[in-house]
Amino acid sequence: MEPVEYDETIHPVVWLNKIKSCCYKNQITKKEDIMEFCKSMIHPSIDVSKSSTFDEILNILKTDALFALFKYSVEEKLQNLKFDPKNKDHVQFIKKIKSLNDLIGYFNQSFLKRRKLIRSGSCISLKHVATGKYLTSCNMHYKTGSKGSIVFASQTLSNLNSLWIVSDFENESNPIVYGKNKVYFLNKGVNENIFISGDYKSPSTGNWEVSCTREIYEHLIESDSTNNNDTYYIKSKEIINIRDMETNNCILHSHEFPFTIDNETYQEVVGHKGRVDRNDKWCI
Protein backbone atom coordinates (compact mmCIF):
# COMPACT_ATOMS: atom_id res chain seq x y z
CA MET A 1 0.00 0.00 0.00
CA GLU A 2 1.46 3.31 -1.10
CA PRO A 3 0.97 6.39 1.12
CA VAL A 4 -1.26 9.07 -0.35
CA GLU A 5 -1.26 12.80 0.22
CA TYR A 6 -4.40 14.27 1.70
CA ASP A 7 -6.67 15.98 -0.86
CA GLU A 8 -10.35 16.70 -1.53
CA THR A 9 -11.12 13.24 -2.95
CA ILE A 10 -11.11 11.41 0.38
CA HIS A 11 -12.65 11.75 3.82
CA PRO A 12 -10.06 12.75 6.47
CA VAL A 13 -10.84 9.74 8.68
CA VAL A 14 -10.50 7.32 5.77
CA TRP A 15 -7.26 8.98 4.72
CA LEU A 16 -5.81 8.80 8.26
CA ASN A 17 -6.65 5.11 8.54
CA LYS A 18 -4.85 4.47 5.25
CA ILE A 19 -1.79 6.33 6.51
CA LYS A 20 -1.77 4.27 9.71
CA SER A 21 -2.10 1.02 7.77
CA CYS A 22 0.76 2.05 5.53
CA CYS A 23 2.93 2.80 8.58
CA TYR A 24 2.17 -0.51 10.25
CA LYS A 25 2.94 -2.36 7.04
CA ASN A 26 6.33 -0.65 6.92
CA GLN A 27 7.10 -1.39 10.57
CA ILE A 28 6.42 2.17 11.75
CA THR A 29 4.61 1.58 15.01
CA LYS A 30 5.48 4.41 17.38
CA LYS A 31 2.70 6.96 17.71
CA GLU A 32 5.14 9.87 17.44
CA ASP A 33 6.62 8.52 14.21
CA ILE A 34 3.20 7.89 12.69
CA MET A 35 2.17 11.41 13.67
CA GLU A 36 5.17 12.96 11.94
CA PHE A 37 4.68 10.86 8.83
CA CYS A 38 1.02 11.82 8.78
CA LYS A 39 1.89 15.52 8.95
CA SER A 40 4.37 15.11 6.12
CA MET A 41 1.58 13.87 3.84
CA ILE A 42 -0.51 17.01 4.35
CA HIS A 43 0.05 20.04 2.15
CA PRO A 44 1.94 22.87 3.93
CA SER A 45 -0.99 25.22 3.30
CA ILE A 46 -2.86 23.29 6.00
CA ASP A 47 -1.01 24.01 9.22
CA VAL A 48 -1.02 20.92 11.45
CA SER A 49 2.41 21.59 12.96
CA LYS A 50 1.04 22.25 16.45
CA SER A 51 -1.19 19.17 16.52
CA SER A 52 -0.25 16.64 19.18
CA THR A 53 -3.01 14.06 18.63
CA PHE A 54 -4.71 12.44 15.67
CA ASP A 55 -8.02 13.99 16.73
CA GLU A 56 -6.49 17.45 16.53
CA ILE A 57 -5.25 16.72 13.01
CA LEU A 58 -8.70 15.51 11.97
CA ASN A 59 -10.36 18.60 13.42
CA ILE A 60 -8.05 20.85 11.41
CA LEU A 61 -8.63 18.88 8.21
CA LYS A 62 -12.40 19.07 8.67
CA THR A 63 -12.28 22.87 8.90
CA ASP A 64 -10.19 23.24 5.75
CA ALA A 65 -11.56 24.12 2.32
CA LEU A 66 -10.52 20.72 0.93
CA PHE A 67 -13.01 19.00 3.22
CA ALA A 68 -15.74 21.36 1.99
CA LEU A 69 -14.87 20.37 -1.58
CA PHE A 70 -15.09 16.72 -0.60
CA LYS A 71 -18.56 17.22 0.90
CA TYR A 72 -19.79 19.10 -2.17
CA SER A 73 -18.54 16.32 -4.44
CA VAL A 74 -20.34 13.73 -2.31
CA GLU A 75 -23.51 15.81 -2.38
CA GLU A 76 -23.36 16.05 -6.16
CA LYS A 77 -22.86 12.30 -6.49
CA LEU A 78 -25.76 11.63 -4.13
CA GLN A 79 -28.04 13.83 -6.21
CA ASN A 80 -27.03 12.00 -9.39
CA LEU A 81 -27.07 8.53 -7.85
CA LYS A 82 -29.87 6.31 -9.15
CA PHE A 83 -30.46 2.76 -8.02
CA ASP A 84 -30.03 0.23 -10.80
CA PRO A 85 -29.34 -3.38 -9.78
CA LYS A 86 -27.56 -3.93 -13.10
CA ASN A 87 -25.27 -0.96 -12.57
CA LYS A 88 -22.41 -1.33 -10.09
CA ASP A 89 -21.66 2.40 -9.87
CA HIS A 90 -23.81 2.84 -6.77
CA VAL A 91 -21.94 0.01 -5.06
CA GLN A 92 -18.58 1.58 -5.82
CA PHE A 93 -19.79 4.94 -4.55
CA ILE A 94 -21.04 3.49 -1.28
CA LYS A 95 -17.70 1.71 -0.87
CA LYS A 96 -15.98 5.08 -1.15
CA ILE A 97 -18.16 6.42 1.65
CA LYS A 98 -17.02 3.38 3.68
CA SER A 99 -19.91 3.24 6.11
CA LEU A 100 -23.68 3.55 6.17
CA ASN A 101 -23.43 6.17 8.90
CA ASP A 102 -21.33 8.42 6.68
CA LEU A 103 -23.74 7.93 3.80
CA ILE A 104 -26.72 8.85 5.96
CA GLY A 105 -24.85 11.81 7.41
CA TYR A 106 -23.94 13.29 4.04
CA PHE A 107 -27.42 12.62 2.66
CA ASN A 108 -29.02 14.37 5.65
CA GLN A 109 -26.65 17.31 5.28
CA SER A 110 -27.55 17.66 1.61
CA PHE A 111 -31.27 17.22 2.26
CA LEU A 112 -31.40 19.70 5.13
CA LYS A 113 -29.46 22.28 3.15
CA ARG A 114 -32.00 21.93 0.35
CA ARG A 115 -34.92 22.21 2.78
CA LYS A 116 -33.65 25.53 4.14
CA LEU A 117 -34.09 27.26 0.78
CA ILE A 118 -37.31 29.24 0.45
CA ARG A 119 -39.02 28.28 -2.80
CA SER A 120 -42.11 29.34 -4.65
CA GLY A 121 -44.84 27.44 -2.79
CA SER A 122 -43.02 27.31 0.57
CA CYS A 123 -45.13 27.68 3.70
CA ILE A 124 -43.46 30.10 6.11
CA SER A 125 -44.03 32.15 9.22
CA LEU A 126 -42.68 35.68 9.64
CA LYS A 127 -41.55 36.69 13.12
CA HIS A 128 -41.16 40.39 13.81
CA VAL A 129 -37.61 40.72 15.11
CA ALA A 130 -38.12 43.77 17.32
CA THR A 131 -41.24 42.55 19.18
CA GLY A 132 -41.03 38.77 18.73
CA LYS A 133 -44.57 38.52 17.35
CA TYR A 134 -45.81 36.77 14.21
CA LEU A 135 -47.33 38.28 11.08
CA THR A 136 -50.97 37.18 11.20
CA SER A 137 -54.36 37.72 9.58
CA CYS A 138 -57.87 36.62 10.54
CA ASN A 139 -61.50 36.99 9.51
CA MET A 140 -61.90 40.19 11.54
CA HIS A 141 -62.27 43.25 9.27
CA TYR A 142 -61.20 46.88 9.61
CA LYS A 143 -64.07 49.21 10.48
CA THR A 144 -62.52 51.99 8.40
CA GLY A 145 -60.27 52.20 5.35
CA SER A 146 -60.41 49.17 3.06
CA LYS A 147 -62.61 47.21 5.50
CA GLY A 148 -60.59 44.18 4.47
CA SER A 149 -59.25 41.35 6.65
CA ILE A 150 -56.96 42.79 9.30
CA VAL A 151 -53.23 42.06 9.42
CA PHE A 152 -51.48 42.27 12.78
CA ALA A 153 -48.61 40.85 14.83
CA SER A 154 -49.69 37.97 17.06
CA GLN A 155 -48.06 36.83 20.29
CA THR A 156 -48.27 33.14 19.38
CA LEU A 157 -47.79 30.93 16.35
CA SER A 158 -50.75 28.70 17.04
CA ASN A 159 -52.83 28.26 13.89
CA LEU A 160 -53.04 28.69 10.13
CA ASN A 161 -53.60 32.44 10.48
CA SER A 162 -49.87 32.92 11.12
CA LEU A 163 -48.74 30.82 8.14
CA TRP A 164 -48.09 32.22 4.68
CA ILE A 165 -47.53 30.63 1.27
CA VAL A 166 -44.88 32.58 -0.64
CA SER A 167 -45.37 32.21 -4.40
CA ASP A 168 -44.06 33.45 -7.71
CA PHE A 169 -46.00 32.59 -10.87
CA GLU A 170 -42.89 32.95 -13.01
CA ASN A 171 -40.65 30.86 -10.75
CA GLU A 172 -42.69 27.81 -9.78
CA SER A 173 -40.97 25.54 -7.21
CA ASN A 174 -37.58 27.23 -7.71
CA PRO A 175 -35.67 28.99 -4.91
CA ILE A 176 -36.58 32.64 -4.32
CA VAL A 177 -33.81 35.15 -5.04
CA TYR A 178 -33.24 38.24 -2.89
CA GLY A 179 -34.40 41.43 -4.56
CA LYS A 180 -35.26 39.72 -7.85
CA ASN A 181 -38.33 37.46 -7.69
CA LYS A 182 -41.62 39.31 -7.25
CA VAL A 183 -43.69 37.24 -4.84
CA TYR A 184 -47.05 37.35 -3.14
CA PHE A 185 -47.97 36.08 0.33
CA LEU A 186 -51.15 34.02 0.75
CA ASN A 187 -52.41 33.63 4.31
CA LYS A 188 -53.44 30.02 4.97
CA GLY A 189 -56.09 30.98 7.50
CA VAL A 190 -58.14 33.47 5.49
CA ASN A 191 -56.96 32.32 2.03
CA GLU A 192 -56.22 35.90 1.00
CA ASN A 193 -53.09 37.80 -0.02
CA ILE A 194 -51.29 40.51 1.91
CA PHE A 195 -51.64 44.05 0.56
CA ILE A 196 -50.02 47.35 1.59
CA SER A 197 -52.51 50.04 0.67
CA GLY A 198 -51.58 53.29 -1.01
CA ASP A 199 -55.01 54.79 -0.33
CA TYR A 200 -56.03 53.90 3.22
CA LYS A 201 -54.40 54.80 6.52
CA SER A 202 -53.75 52.40 9.40
CA PRO A 203 -56.19 52.63 12.34
CA SER A 204 -53.70 53.58 15.07
CA THR A 205 -50.75 55.58 13.72
CA GLY A 206 -51.99 56.78 10.34
CA ASN A 207 -49.34 54.94 8.32
CA TRP A 208 -50.41 52.93 5.28
CA GLU A 209 -52.92 50.19 6.05
CA VAL A 210 -51.96 46.51 5.62
CA SER A 211 -54.78 44.08 4.93
CA CYS A 212 -55.53 40.81 3.17
CA THR A 213 -57.46 40.66 -0.09
CA ARG A 214 -58.37 38.12 -2.77
CA GLU A 215 -56.38 40.09 -5.33
CA ILE A 216 -52.69 39.38 -5.83
CA TYR A 217 -50.09 42.05 -5.06
CA GLU A 218 -46.39 41.53 -5.65
CA HIS A 219 -43.55 42.19 -3.22
CA LEU A 220 -39.77 41.96 -3.15
CA ILE A 221 -37.96 40.16 -0.36
CA GLU A 222 -34.81 42.08 0.50
CA SER A 223 -31.87 40.82 2.53
CA ASP A 224 -30.97 42.26 5.89
CA SER A 225 -27.28 43.17 6.14
CA THR A 226 -26.75 40.88 9.16
CA ASN A 227 -27.48 37.64 7.28
CA ASN A 228 -23.87 36.93 6.20
CA ASN A 229 -25.17 35.14 3.11
CA ASP A 230 -22.87 33.05 0.96
CA THR A 231 -25.60 32.87 -1.67
CA TYR A 232 -28.33 35.04 -3.08
CA TYR A 233 -31.06 32.48 -2.38
CA ILE A 234 -33.37 33.10 0.57
CA LYS A 235 -33.12 30.60 3.43
CA SER A 236 -35.17 29.91 6.53
CA LYS A 237 -34.11 31.67 9.75
CA GLU A 238 -32.73 34.63 7.83
CA ILE A 239 -33.70 38.24 8.52
CA ILE A 240 -35.53 39.96 5.68
CA ASN A 241 -37.40 43.11 4.68
CA ILE A 242 -40.54 43.01 2.54
CA ARG A 243 -41.17 45.80 0.03
CA ASP A 244 -44.41 46.44 -1.87
CA MET A 245 -43.95 46.57 -5.66
CA GLU A 246 -47.50 47.46 -6.71
CA THR A 247 -48.53 50.79 -5.22
CA ASN A 248 -46.11 53.03 -3.34
CA ASN A 249 -42.93 51.01 -2.72
CA CYS A 250 -43.68 50.78 1.00
CA ILE A 251 -41.88 48.53 3.46
CA LEU A 252 -43.75 46.13 5.76
CA HIS A 253 -43.39 47.40 9.33
CA SER A 254 -44.69 46.66 12.81
CA HIS A 255 -44.38 48.35 16.19
CA GLU A 256 -45.92 48.17 19.64
CA PHE A 257 -48.80 50.51 18.81
CA PRO A 258 -52.13 48.69 19.32
CA PHE A 259 -55.51 49.09 17.68
CA THR A 260 -58.86 47.77 18.90
CA ILE A 261 -61.78 46.19 17.05
CA ASP A 262 -64.83 44.83 18.88
CA ASN A 263 -63.00 45.03 22.22
CA GLU A 264 -60.08 42.94 20.91
CA THR A 265 -56.62 44.55 20.85
CA TYR A 266 -54.08 43.86 18.10
CA GLN A 267 -50.49 44.98 17.43
CA GLU A 268 -50.49 47.16 14.34
CA VAL A 269 -48.74 46.18 11.10
CA VAL A 270 -48.34 48.98 8.57
CA GLY A 271 -46.49 50.08 5.46
CA HIS A 272 -44.11 53.02 5.49
CA LYS A 273 -41.82 54.82 3.08
CA GLY A 274 -38.22 55.86 3.60
CA ARG A 275 -35.22 54.09 5.04
CA VAL A 276 -35.35 50.58 6.48
CA ASP A 277 -35.27 50.59 10.29
CA ARG A 278 -35.23 48.00 13.08
CA ASN A 279 -39.03 47.63 13.01
CA ASP A 280 -38.94 46.50 9.36
CA LYS A 281 -37.06 43.27 10.08
CA TRP A 282 -38.77 39.88 9.89
CA CYS A 283 -37.30 36.44 10.52
CA ILE A 284 -38.43 33.62 8.24
Side-chain angles (χ1 to χ4, degrees), residues 208-228:
W208 295 113
E209 179 196 276
V210 178
S211 63
C212 273
T213 175
R214 294 195 178 277
E215 296 182 31
I216 292 174
Y217 292 91
E218 294 180 328
H219 304 78
L220 278 183
I221 299 178
E222 299 174 332
S223 175
D224 181 78
S225 60
T226 61
N227 282 333
N228 295 321

PDB file of all heavy atoms in Angstrom, residues 208-228:
ATOM      1  N   TRP A 208     -49.614  53.604   6.295  1.00  0.00           N
ATOM      2  CA  TRP A 208     -50.409  52.932   5.277  1.00  0.00           C
ATOM      3  C   TRP A 208     -50.955  51.612   5.811  1.00  0.00           C
ATOM      4  O   TRP A 208     -50.250  50.832   6.444  1.00  0.00           O
ATOM      5  CB  TRP A 208     -49.582  52.691   4.014  1.00  0.00           C
ATOM      6  CG  TRP A 208     -49.168  53.965   3.340  1.00  0.00           C
ATOM      7  CD1 TRP A 208     -47.911  54.459   3.219  1.00  0.00           C
ATOM      8  CD2 TRP A 208     -50.028  54.915   2.719  1.00  0.00           C
ATOM      9  NE1 TRP A 208     -47.916  55.657   2.556  1.00  0.00           N
ATOM     10  CE2 TRP A 208     -49.217  55.969   2.236  1.00  0.00           C
ATOM     11  CE3 TRP A 208     -51.413  54.999   2.517  1.00  0.00           C
ATOM     12  CZ2 TRP A 208     -49.729  57.074   1.568  1.00  0.00           C
ATOM     13  CZ3 TRP A 208     -51.924  56.104   1.842  1.00  0.00           C
ATOM     14  CH2 TRP A 208     -51.093  57.122   1.380  1.00  0.00           C
ATOM     15  N   GLU A 209     -52.231  51.386   5.557  1.00  0.00           N
ATOM     16  CA  GLU A 209     -52.922  50.192   6.053  1.00  0.00           C
ATOM     17  C   GLU A 209     -52.397  48.923   5.374  1.00  0.00           C
ATOM     18  O   GLU A 209     -52.106  48.912   4.183  1.00  0.00           O
ATOM     19  CB  GLU A 209     -54.426  50.324   5.780  1.00  0.00           C
ATOM     20  CG  GLU A 209     -55.245  49.121   6.223  1.00  0.00           C
ATOM     21  CD  GLU A 209     -56.633  49.128   5.597  1.00  0.00           C
ATOM     22  OE1 GLU A 209     -57.521  49.796   6.152  1.00  0.00           O
ATOM     23  OE2 GLU A 209     -56.808  48.462   4.542  1.00  0.00           O
ATOM     24  N   VAL A 210     -52.296  47.837   6.151  1.00  0.00           N
ATOM     25  CA  VAL A 210     -51.962  46.512   5.618  1.00  0.00           C
ATOM     26  C   VAL A 210     -53.151  45.595   5.872  1.00  0.00           C
ATOM     27  O   VAL A 210     -53.629  45.478   7.004  1.00  0.00           O
ATOM     28  CB  VAL A 210     -50.696  45.932   6.280  1.00  0.00           C
ATOM     29  CG1 VAL A 210     -50.405  44.533   5.733  1.00  0.00           C
ATOM     30  CG2 VAL A 210     -49.502  46.844   6.037  1.00  0.00           C
ATOM     31  N   SER A 211     -53.619  44.953   4.819  1.00  0.00           N
ATOM     32  CA  SER A 211     -54.782  44.076   4.934  1.00  0.00           C
ATOM     33  C   SER A 211     -54.554  42.828   4.094  1.00  0.00           C
ATOM     34  O   SER A 211     -53.503  42.659   3.469  1.00  0.00           O
ATOM     35  CB  SER A 211     -56.045  44.799   4.459  1.00  0.00           C
ATOM     36  OG  SER A 211     -55.928  45.120   3.076  1.00  0.00           O
ATOM     37  N   CYS A 212     -55.554  41.952   4.072  1.00  0.00           N
ATOM     38  CA  CYS A 212     -55.532  40.810   3.165  1.00  0.00           C
ATOM     39  C   CYS A 212     -56.705  40.926   2.200  1.00  0.00           C
ATOM     40  O   CYS A 212     -57.801  41.369   2.570  1.00  0.00           O
ATOM     41  CB  CYS A 212     -55.613  39.497   3.940  1.00  0.00           C
ATOM     42  SG  CYS A 212     -54.003  38.872   4.478  1.00  0.00           S
ATOM     43  N   THR A 213     -56.466  40.532   0.966  1.00  0.00           N
ATOM     44  CA  THR A 213     -57.463  40.660  -0.089  1.00  0.00           C
ATOM     45  C   THR A 213     -57.360  39.467  -1.032  1.00  0.00           C
ATOM     46  O   THR A 213     -56.340  38.773  -1.063  1.00  0.00           O
ATOM     47  CB  THR A 213     -57.241  41.968  -0.877  1.00  0.00           C
ATOM     48  OG1 THR A 213     -58.149  42.024  -1.976  1.00  0.00           O
ATOM     49  CG2 THR A 213     -55.819  42.041  -1.417  1.00  0.00           C
ATOM     50  N   ARG A 214     -58.391  39.233  -1.816  1.00  0.00           N
ATOM     51  CA  ARG A 214     -58.367  38.124  -2.769  1.00  0.00           C
ATOM     52  C   ARG A 214     -57.515  38.447  -3.994  1.00  0.00           C
ATOM     53  O   ARG A 214     -57.110  37.547  -4.726  1.00  0.00           O
ATOM     54  CB  ARG A 214     -59.795  37.757  -3.193  1.00  0.00           C
ATOM     55  CG  ARG A 214     -60.617  37.191  -2.041  1.00  0.00           C
ATOM     56  CD  ARG A 214     -61.867  36.498  -2.532  1.00  0.00           C
ATOM     57  NE  ARG A 214     -62.617  35.935  -1.418  1.00  0.00           N
ATOM     58  CZ  ARG A 214     -62.358  34.767  -0.860  1.00  0.00           C
ATOM     59  NH1 ARG A 214     -61.350  34.039  -1.312  1.00  0.00           N
ATOM     60  NH2 ARG A 214     -63.083  34.316   0.142  1.00  0.00           N
ATOM     61  N   GLU A 215     -57.247  39.711  -4.219  1.00  0.00           N
ATOM     62  CA  GLU A 215     -56.384  40.088  -5.335  1.00  0.00           C
ATOM     63  C   GLU A 215     -54.922  39.819  -4.980  1.00  0.00           C
ATOM     64  O   GLU A 215     -54.557  39.740  -3.810  1.00  0.00           O
ATOM     65  CB  GLU A 215     -56.585  41.566  -5.673  1.00  0.00           C
ATOM     66  CG  GLU A 215     -57.992  41.884  -6.166  1.00  0.00           C
ATOM     67  CD  GLU A 215     -58.138  43.343  -6.541  1.00  0.00           C
ATOM     68  OE1 GLU A 215     -57.133  43.941  -6.981  1.00  0.00           O
ATOM     69  OE2 GLU A 215     -59.245  43.883  -6.393  1.00  0.00           O
ATOM     70  N   ILE A 216     -54.101  39.683  -6.020  1.00  0.00           N
ATOM     71  CA  ILE A 216     -52.685  39.377  -5.828  1.00  0.00           C
ATOM     72  C   ILE A 216     -51.850  40.641  -5.990  1.00  0.00           C
ATOM     73  O   ILE A 216     -51.989  41.358  -6.985  1.00  0.00           O
ATOM     74  CB  ILE A 216     -52.227  38.296  -6.833  1.00  0.00           C
ATOM     75  CG1 ILE A 216     -52.892  36.959  -6.502  1.00  0.00           C
ATOM     76  CG2 ILE A 216     -50.706  38.143  -6.812  1.00  0.00           C
ATOM     77  CD1 ILE A 216     -52.603  35.877  -7.514  1.00  0.00           C
ATOM     78  N   TYR A 217     -50.990  40.898  -5.008  1.00  0.00           N
ATOM     79  CA  TYR A 217     -50.090  42.048  -5.057  1.00  0.00           C
ATOM     80  C   TYR A 217     -48.660  41.562  -4.838  1.00  0.00           C
ATOM     81  O   TYR A 217     -48.393  40.779  -3.921  1.00  0.00           O
ATOM     82  CB  TYR A 217     -50.477  43.082  -3.998  1.00  0.00           C
ATOM     83  CG  TYR A 217     -51.803  43.746  -4.285  1.00  0.00           C
ATOM     84  CD1 TYR A 217     -52.987  43.214  -3.783  1.00  0.00           C
ATOM     85  CD2 TYR A 217     -51.867  44.886  -5.083  1.00  0.00           C
ATOM     86  CE1 TYR A 217     -54.214  43.813  -4.059  1.00  0.00           C
ATOM     87  CE2 TYR A 217     -53.086  45.495  -5.364  1.00  0.00           C
ATOM     88  CZ  TYR A 217     -54.257  44.952  -4.851  1.00  0.00           C
ATOM     89  OH  TYR A 217     -55.461  45.543  -5.132  1.00  0.00           O
ATOM     90  N   GLU A 218     -47.756  42.039  -5.663  1.00  0.00           N
ATOM     91  CA  GLU A 218     -46.389  41.528  -5.651  1.00  0.00           C
ATOM     92  C   GLU A 218     -45.487  42.319  -4.705  1.00  0.00           C
ATOM     93  O   GLU A 218     -45.665  43.525  -4.506  1.00  0.00           O
ATOM     94  CB  GLU A 218     -45.808  41.557  -7.067  1.00  0.00           C
ATOM     95  CG  GLU A 218     -46.514  40.594  -8.019  1.00  0.00           C
ATOM     96  CD  GLU A 218     -45.928  40.619  -9.410  1.00  0.00           C
ATOM     97  OE1 GLU A 218     -45.450  41.697  -9.834  1.00  0.00           O
ATOM     98  OE2 GLU A 218     -45.932  39.562 -10.074  1.00  0.00           O
ATOM     99  N   HIS A 219     -44.509  41.597  -4.145  1.00  0.00           N
ATOM    100  CA  HIS A 219     -43.547  42.187  -3.219  1.00  0.00           C
ATOM    101  C   HIS A 219     -42.150  41.667  -3.538  1.00  0.00           C
ATOM    102  O   HIS A 219     -41.988  40.604  -4.145  1.00  0.00           O
ATOM    103  CB  HIS A 219     -43.892  41.817  -1.771  1.00  0.00           C
ATOM    104  CG  HIS A 219     -45.279  42.206  -1.354  1.00  0.00           C
ATOM    105  ND1 HIS A 219     -46.393  41.473  -1.717  1.00  0.00           N
ATOM    106  CD2 HIS A 219     -45.725  43.249  -0.611  1.00  0.00           C
ATOM    107  CE1 HIS A 219     -47.469  42.052  -1.212  1.00  0.00           C
ATOM    108  NE2 HIS A 219     -47.092  43.123  -0.537  1.00  0.00           N
ATOM    109  N   LEU A 220     -41.158  42.417  -3.102  1.00  0.00           N
ATOM    110  CA  LEU A 220     -39.773  41.957  -3.150  1.00  0.00           C
ATOM    111  C   LEU A 220     -39.319  41.604  -1.743  1.00  0.00           C
ATOM    112  O   LEU A 220     -39.630  42.318  -0.783  1.00  0.00           O
ATOM    113  CB  LEU A 220     -38.845  43.044  -3.705  1.00  0.00           C
ATOM    114  CG  LEU A 220     -38.739  43.209  -5.222  1.00  0.00           C
ATOM    115  CD1 LEU A 220     -37.711  44.283  -5.536  1.00  0.00           C
ATOM    116  CD2 LEU A 220     -38.366  41.903  -5.910  1.00  0.00           C
ATOM    117  N   ILE A 221     -38.594  40.506  -1.627  1.00  0.00           N
ATOM    118  CA  ILE A 221     -37.955  40.160  -0.358  1.00  0.00           C
ATOM    119  C   ILE A 221     -36.515  40.637  -0.428  1.00  0.00           C
ATOM    120  O   ILE A 221     -35.755  40.227  -1.306  1.00  0.00           O
ATOM    121  CB  ILE A 221     -38.007  38.647  -0.101  1.00  0.00           C
ATOM    122  CG1 ILE A 221     -39.462  38.172  -0.026  1.00  0.00           C
ATOM    123  CG2 ILE A 221     -37.274  38.303   1.196  1.00  0.00           C
ATOM    124  CD1 ILE A 221     -39.602  36.669   0.174  1.00  0.00           C
ATOM    125  N   GLU A 222     -36.149  41.514   0.490  1.00  0.00           N
ATOM    126  CA  GLU A 222     -34.807  42.083   0.501  1.00  0.00           C
ATOM    127  C   GLU A 222     -34.021  41.536   1.683  1.00  0.00           C
ATOM    128  O   GLU A 222     -34.574  41.272   2.750  1.00  0.00           O
ATOM    129  CB  GLU A 222     -34.885  43.609   0.571  1.00  0.00           C
ATOM    130  CG  GLU A 222     -35.615  44.212  -0.620  1.00  0.00           C
ATOM    131  CD  GLU A 222     -35.818  45.708  -0.499  1.00  0.00           C
ATOM    132  OE1 GLU A 222     -35.905  46.210   0.643  1.00  0.00           O
ATOM    133  OE2 GLU A 222     -35.885  46.379  -1.540  1.00  0.00           O
ATOM    134  N   SER A 223     -32.726  41.390   1.497  1.00  0.00           N
ATOM    135  CA  SER A 223     -31.867  40.819   2.532  1.00  0.00           C
ATOM    136  C   SER A 223     -31.502  41.864   3.573  1.00  0.00           C
ATOM    137  O   SER A 223     -31.222  43.017   3.253  1.00  0.00           O
ATOM    138  CB  SER A 223     -30.594  40.262   1.898  1.00  0.00           C
ATOM    139  OG  SER A 223     -29.698  39.816   2.893  1.00  0.00           O
ATOM    140  N   ASP A 224     -31.506  41.420   4.829  1.00  0.00           N
ATOM    141  CA  ASP A 224     -30.968  42.261   5.893  1.00  0.00           C
ATOM    142  C   ASP A 224     -29.453  42.117   5.908  1.00  0.00           C
ATOM    143  O   ASP A 224     -28.908  41.043   5.640  1.00  0.00           O
ATOM    144  CB  ASP A 224     -31.544  41.826   7.242  1.00  0.00           C
ATOM    145  CG  ASP A 224     -31.038  42.673   8.387  1.00  0.00           C
ATOM    146  OD1 ASP A 224     -31.532  43.793   8.552  1.00  0.00           O
ATOM    147  OD2 ASP A 224     -30.134  42.210   9.103  1.00  0.00           O
ATOM    148  N   SER A 225     -28.746  43.167   6.228  1.00  0.00           N
ATOM    149  CA  SER A 225     -27.280  43.171   6.136  1.00  0.00           C
ATOM    150  C   SER A 225     -26.613  42.243   7.135  1.00  0.00           C
ATOM    151  O   SER A 225     -25.428  41.948   7.028  1.00  0.00           O
ATOM    152  CB  SER A 225     -26.752  44.591   6.343  1.00  0.00           C
ATOM    153  OG  SER A 225     -27.129  45.085   7.616  1.00  0.00           O
ATOM    154  N   THR A 226     -27.355  41.736   8.129  1.00  0.00           N
ATOM    155  CA  THR A 226     -26.753  40.877   9.158  1.00  0.00           C
ATOM    156  C   THR A 226     -26.792  39.403   8.800  1.00  0.00           C
ATOM    157  O   THR A 226     -26.370  38.560   9.587  1.00  0.00           O
ATOM    158  CB  THR A 226     -27.481  41.065  10.501  1.00  0.00           C
ATOM    159  OG1 THR A 226     -28.861  40.694  10.345  1.00  0.00           O
ATOM    160  CG2 THR A 226     -27.401  42.504  10.961  1.00  0.00           C
ATOM    161  N   ASN A 227     -27.300  39.048   7.613  1.00  0.00           N
ATOM    162  CA  ASN A 227     -27.484  37.637   7.280  1.00  0.00           C
ATOM    163  C   ASN A 227     -26.188  36.891   7.014  1.00  0.00           C
ATOM    164  O   ASN A 227     -26.128  35.678   7.161  1.00  0.00           O
ATOM    165  CB  ASN A 227     -28.389  37.498   6.051  1.00  0.00           C
ATOM    166  CG  ASN A 227     -29.859  37.679   6.405  1.00  0.00           C
ATOM    167  OD1 ASN A 227     -30.266  37.415   7.531  1.00  0.00           O
ATOM    168  ND2 ASN A 227     -30.649  38.138   5.447  1.00  0.00           N
ATOM    169  N   ASN A 228     -25.134  37.588   6.563  1.00  0.00           N
ATOM    170  CA  ASN A 228     -23.873  36.933   6.198  1.00  0.00           C
ATOM    171  C   ASN A 228     -24.092  35.833   5.168  1.00  0.00           C
ATOM    172  O   ASN A 228     -23.613  34.712   5.300  1.00  0.00           O
ATOM    173  CB  ASN A 228     -23.186  36.345   7.444  1.00  0.00           C
ATOM    174  CG  ASN A 228     -22.771  37.431   8.410  1.00  0.00           C
ATOM    175  OD1 ASN A 228     -22.319  38.494   8.007  1.00  0.00           O
ATOM    176  ND2 ASN A 228     -22.944  37.166   9.700  1.00  0.00           N
TER     177      ASN A 228
END
